[in-house]
Amino acid sequence: MCTAFLFWKGSALDPAVTGSGASNTTGVHRRVGARMLRKLSGDPECRNGTCPTLWGTEDAKDYVVQGYVITDPERLAQLDLPEGETAVVVPAAVLEEYFRAQR
């Protein structure tokens, strides 16, 4: 199951800034703090509704990526992430679907 969100540290989507994490709602929208997210693209192979997804903020200034959290220490070391950030893996099809729709 995929439940992680990638938040940009210090942005309006950072749980430390909004004071809360993401909470699920039904449909193609989710609320992060006081902000709504709009589903832009999802994993076409998804069968259970909780799969990697690309979300956009209501003001279209940020993206939120829902994916599988990278836990492998070697992979994380390659990324050299600062404290408070994490990385997730999403199938290429999630991003390809979004960019194809933008043409």
Side-chain angles (χ1 to χ4, degrees), residues 39-59:
K39 183 177 180 177
L40 301 175
S41 177
D43 184 350
E45 301 296 317
C46 181
R47 300 292 178 250
N48 65 8
T50 59
C51 300
T53 305
L54 178 64
W55 301 88
T57 59
E58 61 190 341
D59 60 9

Side-chain angles (χ1 to χ4, degrees), residues 1-5 24 30 43 46 48-53 65-69 88-91:
M1 180 166 52
C2 172
T3 57
F5 280 99
N24 292 343
R30 289 190 184 175
D43 184 350
C46 181
N48 65 8
T50 59
C51 300
T53 305
V65 179
Q66 176 182 346
Y68 303 102
V69 176
V88 297
V89 174
V90 297

Side-chain angles (χ1 to χ4, degrees), residues 31-97:
R31 185 168 296 282
V32 176
R35 300 183 56 158
M36 282 300 279
L37 299 176
R38 184 171 47 94
K39 183 177 180 177
L40 301 175
S41 177
D43 184 350
E45 301 296 317
C46 181
R47 300 292 178 250
N48 65 8
T50 59
C51 300
T53 305
L54 178 64
W55 301 88
T57 59
E58 61 190 341
D59 60 9
K61 292 184 179 181
D62 292 303
Y63 296 102
V64 176
V65 179
Q66 176 182 346
Y68 303 102
V69 176
I70 297 173
T71 58
D72 177 41
E74 288 182 35
R75 291 180 91 187
L76 289 171
Q78 291 174 351
L79 295 170
D80 193 29
L81 298 171
E83 185 176 331
E85 290 187 7
T86 191
V88 297
V89 174
V90 297
V94 172
L95 299 177
E96 290 167 354
E97 175 186 316

